[in-house]
DNA sequence: TTTGTGGCCGTTAGCGGTAACATAGCAAAA
DNA sequence: TTTTGCTATGTTACCGCTAACGGCCACAAA
């Protein structure tokens, strides 16, 4: 542990230190450091030099308190390991980059109580906006969001009533769309494989939409299988094996996400099962992982990048039209038929 | 947009509001809300009730400024989409959970300048600690870290000199270890496939260690191939195809990460290439994805969970021994031979 | 009665910045 | 010369909360 290379080892620096070192008032230093107000070129130089020399780092806590402005946007998502949220984050960061706003993420692990505390924590930092996944929140959460006094954007899903704004797709409709494609291709004995989903409302909605269409044709799911935890790819294999064993006459496997779908696909190929002849397969999400698989899994793109971008535009007040809040943007997921649905 | 369900729609609430609503001083409210100091049970109840009723959310900005304590830990990583950092984050969160500390992540995209500004931003919030990936930082970054006055833990890598503490593995040694296993299995015409790595120092170190061992045996890499961007799985396929075509006599493919390794594995299996007889394969990281592949790719676990945990223990002052700083913890990655290295 | 003693609660003085306003200095306009 | 109008800088009053300390009261011990 080398000792700090600068003078005054202990106490952390304040504006006053810079002000004394450069012979001007704290206010002038503040102005220089924020590029605000008029400062002569010579004093500006002098102040910057002093700040650099001392290694001064402004205290945003104090700044935020004084100015009543916090350049933070809270982003609350269920999980990071999901592969879906990193892309949303990318969209958000892209847009926020040149607004001076900074995303701060919180993770809920799909737990409503956890979400509640994360929202509380976030709001206690008085961010300039909040982006959070899903439309389903505890009553207390809803109340906090409504009170927040800043833009709140609920993302991913639009089947429901947002507190303020919403950007997403209709998962119900996505489920329907996929079912229609599958039916059109002539499959009839269809199984669903997905996560145990007490709190994955979006997966639930997709399944509901999916079953709706089946019902219209007088059909119902031939089988269903759920999992939780573990390697999704492996689970996909195992579940697929289980379903094919239990219900040998299924001719289609609809997965609630691409990862388990990919596992199922690998399993079928391993087993020499004719895909999409003997069984068809489809997933959901459009993860780029699929590009590397031996065959392209049918899937549906969830518009994650756009969702990120648009939500960031809303919280940062960048929406072209001057809408202030309460905007609801529905994106349309596109079906990517891949090679695992036979052409009708 | 429903109107807020609570009174006083505009102005955001302060301690004063709660204090007036409950007929005690702001200080007492503060004490109740923080569970600090003595307050009678009856006033405690009364205050809590008022706070709940009003929907009061404390202002941590003000609290932090007044108390000079910020319950935030900055975590600075190169990328989220990596599959490796989510697991580190999990380890960190696990430990921080019951310390009152909260992680705040910043992403650098492997750009040193970006890292510099992220560090600056982080420090301007005066966090109680900083965890950041890697030992290589710009000079300005190093200076800021040294000045920070809070615990700084550099993670993932220990081949170098940390500013303060470090937790990680020796990537150089990991590369050596893998090379030794490969040599021991009798492979001799070895190719390396990895990311273009101007700033991935760890991959670079692994490769250096790897080549060191080859050199000891009078060997050198038979071929090498680099990529950047795109679907790692797909790139793995493409690169593998390219290498096998260009250098048909290679008998081993060493990948810089598991994702491209998995792509390579899938490609070889597709092509009916005998693995591990004709060519052996190995990756790095131990991602759980591998569990679902048709064959288990040889890899080396990077101890990500432990790295996360230990770094969090250090910043939170939870290390069992009372070491204050400057601790360096080297973890030992374990080789997982899988099914893609023939047994010697 | 006096003197602790401890529980409960209020007062005061900041924390480190910034908004808003005041002011000094000086050149151009009257 | 005086007035006006800038520009560059300083002053003051907070922002919302908490540390530190002080006061008051009831009750026990001396």
């Amino acid at each position: 542990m080398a000792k700090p290379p600068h003078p005054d080892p202990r106490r952390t620096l304040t504006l006053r230190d810079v002000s004394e070192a450069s012979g001007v008032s704290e206010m002038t230093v503040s102005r220089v450091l924020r590029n605000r107000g008029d400062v002569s070129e010579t004093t500006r130089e002098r102040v910057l030099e002093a700040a650099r020399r001392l290694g001064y780092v402004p205290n945003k806590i104090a700044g935020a308190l004084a100015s009543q402005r916090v350049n933070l946007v809270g982003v609350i998502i269920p999980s990071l390991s999901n592969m879906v949220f990193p892309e949303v984050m990318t969209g958000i960061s892209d847009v926020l980059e040149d607004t001076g706003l900074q995303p701060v993420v919180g993770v809920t692990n799909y737990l409503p109580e956890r979400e509640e505390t994360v929202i509380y924590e976030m709001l206690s930092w008085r961010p300039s906006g909040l982006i959070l996944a899903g439309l389903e929140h505890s009553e207390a959460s809803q109340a906090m969001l409504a009170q927040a006094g800043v833009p709140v954007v609920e993302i991913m899903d639009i089947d429901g009533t947002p507190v303020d704004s919403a950007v997403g797709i209709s998962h119900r409709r996505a489920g329907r769309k996929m079912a229609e494609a599958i039916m059109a291709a002539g499959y009839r004995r269809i199984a669903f494989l997905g996560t145990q989903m007490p709190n994955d409302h979006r997966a639930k909605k997709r399944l509901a939409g999916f079953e709706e269409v089946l019902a219209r044709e007088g059909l119902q799911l031939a089988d269903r299988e759920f999992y939780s935890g573990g390697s999704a790819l492996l689970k996909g294999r195992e579940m697929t094996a289980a379903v094919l064993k239990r219900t040998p006459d299924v001719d289609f496997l609809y997965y609630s996400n691409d990862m388990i779908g990919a596992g199922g696909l690998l399993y079928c190929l391993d087993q020499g099962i004719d895909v999409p002849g003997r069984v068809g397969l489809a997933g959901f999400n459009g993860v780029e992982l699929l590009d590397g698989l031996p065959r392209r899994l049918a899937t549906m793109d969830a518009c994650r990048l756009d969702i990120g971008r648009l939500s960031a535009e809303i919280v940062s007040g960048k929406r072209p039209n001057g809408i202030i809040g309460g905007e609801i943007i529905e994106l349309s997921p596109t079906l990517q038929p891949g090679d695992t649905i036979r052409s009708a």
Side-chain angles (χ1 to χ4, degrees), chain A:
Chain A
M1 275 190 304
K3 48 180 92 75
H6 296 287
D8 202 345
R10 277 312 93 206
R11 200 173 48 78
T12 100
L13 301 163
T14 74
L15 268 192
R16 155 157 256 114
D17 296 290
V18 182
S19 121
E20 281 168 0
S22 54
V24 296
S25 72
E26 301 176 32
M27 195 60 227
T28 301
V29 176
S30 171
R31 279 195 268 256
V32 170
L33 264 27
R34 289 177 298 147
N35 271 317
R36 204 165 297 259
D38 307 304
V39 182
S40 76
E41 195 47 43
T42 58
T43 58
R44 148 172 267 96
E45 302 273 280
R46 205 139 42 89
V47 168
L48 285 177
E49 190 278 327
R52 228 184 336 260
R53 179 163 46 80
L54 298 175
Y56 173 71
V57 177
N59 184 333
K60 283 212 179 160
I61 305 256
L65 183 61
S67 68
Q68 305 280 52
R69 275 184 281 97
V70 181
N71 67 338
L72 257 30
V73 172
V75 181
I76 301 179
I77 58 185
S79 158
L80 275 177
S81 43
N82 210 320
M83 192 115 277
V84 10
F85 292 106
E87 195 166 338
V88 176
M89 284 306 305
T90 303
I92 293 177
S93 305
D94 283 357
V95 171
L96 255 35
E97 192 103 348
D98 45 50
T99 62
L101 257 28
Q102 230 205 323
V104 176
V105 327
V107 176
T108 68
N109 294 320
Y110 289 99
L111 269 42
E113 324 83 71
R114 182 91 192 110
E115 183 185 60
E116 205 171 301
T117 73
V118 173
I119 291 175
Y120 188 81
E121 292 279 322
M122 285 284 183
L123 288 181
S124 75
W125 288 102
R126 301 289 187 267
S128 332
L130 223 52
I131 296 175
L132 72 171
L135 293 163
E136 286 76 18
H137 317 289
S138 75
E139 215 167 305
S141 296
Q142 305 243 32
M144 284 191 283
L145 295 173
Q147 278 267 330
V150 295
V152 173
V153 186
E154 291 167 88
I155 60 173
M156 311 310 289
D157 187 8
I158 57 139
D159 291 321
T161 311
V163 170
D164 181 8
S165 295
V167 183
I169 65 171
S170 164
H171 285 262
R172 177 177 293 276
R173 191 169 313 187
R176 281 209 295 261
K177 210 161 161 184
M178 184 58 90
E180 281 157 6
I182 293 168
M183 301 298 296
Y187 296 102
R188 287 297 177 274
R189 294 287 293 164
I190 302 168
F192 176 85
L193 300 84
T195 51
Q196 205 87 54
M197 43 187 172
N199 290 305
D200 190 342
H201 301 278
R202 294 179 285 288
K204 222 181 274 180
K205 288 171 183 173
R206 287 198 298 278
L207 178 54
F210 192 85
E211 290 190 284
E212 229 172 75
V213 171
L214 295 199
R216 273 211 307 257
E217 307 275 335
L219 291 176
Q220 52 185 29
L221 288 175
D223 197 356
R224 54 180 78 202
E225 176 88 9
F226 301 96
Y227 81 103
S228 66
S231 159
L233 206 59
L234 180 56
K235 288 293 178 185
R237 283 178 170 272
E238 294 171 354
M239 294 165 74
T240 303
V243 167
L244 289 177
K245 174 148 190 217
R246 188 169 53 220
T247 318
D249 66 330
V250 292
D251 62 4
F252 202 95
L253 302 170
Y254 179 43
Y255 296 88
S256 79
N257 70 62
D258 280 347
M259 209 59 172
I260 55 175
L265 174 58
L266 288 176
Y267 174 80
C268 289
L269 296 179
D270 271 10
Q271 300 293 312
I273 295 171
D274 172 18
V275 175
R278 163 74 183 75
V279 290
L281 304 173
F284 180 83
N285 251 336
V287 304
E288 70 172 11
L289 168 95
L290 298 185
D291 291 342
L293 258 26
R295 203 161 305 180
R296 295 186 53 98
L297 181 68
T299 189
M300 194 164 267
D301 172 37
C303 310
R304 301 190 298 281
L305 202 65
D306 286 330
I307 288 177
R309 271 198 231 286
L310 289 166
S311 61
E313 285 180 7
I314 293 179
V315 293
S316 62
K318 261 178 125 184
R319 237 40 250 313
N321 53 38
I323 297 185
I324 317 255
E327 197 173 358
I328 298 183
I329 303 181
E330 172 169 2
L331 270 28
S332 298
T334 58
L335 176 70
Q336 296 167 355
D339 316 313
T340 60
I341 298 184
R342 65 172 167 247
S343 27

